Amino acid sequence: MRLRVEFTTEPFDLDEAPPHAVVARDIVTGAALDAVDVGPFGNTAEGDADRVLGAVHALLRETLQAGATRVSLQVNVIADAGHGEGEAT
């Protein structure tokens, strides 16, 4: 199964990335995920379910420890090649 995670961490700082945002970026870029897109207002990554869920676990734990006061995230099942979205493989 493949998953897509979309997330943001708060509080925002438009002048420079706060420590929790840097931690989040490091986690998703270091997790061997596909299609990683890190931006100032939202972040996305895709990959194998085990890798995405492992990254989400680390993301929650480490960004909160680094000062995040809120982590908003959404996880979606995305279609594997040859399967419809949300179908079991």
Side-chain angles (χ1 to χ4, degrees), residues 5-9 24-25 28 41-44 59 71-74:
V5 61
E6 302 174 42
F7 68 91
T8 58
T9 61
R25 181 191 64 214
V28 296
F41 300 109
N43 310 281
T44 61
L59 177 80
V71 179
S72 301
L73 66 89
Q74 178 173 311

Side-chain angles (χ1 to χ4, degrees), residues 28-83:
V28 296
T29 57
L33 300 174
D34 306 326
V36 174
D37 183 20
V38 177
F41 300 109
N43 310 281
T44 61
E46 298 177 6
D48 172 76
D50 288 335
R51 288 181 191 242
V52 171
L53 294 174
V56 167
H57 178 261
L59 177 80
L60 291 171
R61 181 175 302 282
E62 295 179 32
T63 58
L64 293 170
Q65 289 175 346
T69 57
R70 171 184 274 175
V71 179
S72 301
L73 66 89
Q74 178 173 311
V75 177
N76 294 309
V77 175
I78 56 175
D80 284 327
H83 296 281

